[in-house]
Amino acid sequence: MQGFANFMWLLSLALILFSGFALIDAAVRREDAYRAADKKTKPFWLIILGLAFVVNLIFNVLSFLPIIGLVATIVYMVDVRPALRQVMGGGGGRRGSSSDGPYGPYNGGR
C-alpha cells in the first residue's frame, strides 16, 4: 500500500508541476499573440490554467476535477503553445527551410 501511496504522491506532484509550467508559460506570452494565433484570449487561458493549478493543489489525483484540469493543460501545451510560439517566432531553435530534412536541405535528388 505504501508503494501505491508514493506513486500517487509523485503523480500528484507531476500534475502540479505540469500545470504550473503551463500557467507560467501562458503568463509570459504576449496578449496580442493569442489573437494573432486565433486562440482564446490570454485572460481566458490564465483563468483556466490557474484553476487547473489550484485544483491539482487541493484535490486528490483520483478525483474528477484534476482530470479536467489535466485535459485543459494538455490542450494548452499541444495546441495553443505551439501556435503562440509560431506567431512569436520561437520555433524551438530550428532555423532553415521547410524542405530541410534531418541531415540538411533536400535538393530533389540533384
Side-chain angles (χ1 to χ4, degrees), residues 5 11 13 16-18 25 28-29 32-33 35 37 40 50 53 55 61 67 76 86 88-91 93 103 109-110:
L11 185 61
L13 181 64
I16 291 168
L17 292 174
F18 185 53
D25 185 74
V28 299
R29 303 288 176 181
D32 60 336
R35 286 180 277 138
K40 296 285 187 185
F53 181 73
V55 162
V61 176
I67 295 171
Y76 175 80
Q86 185 177 11
M88 293 177 66
Y103 305 109
R110 290 179 257 161

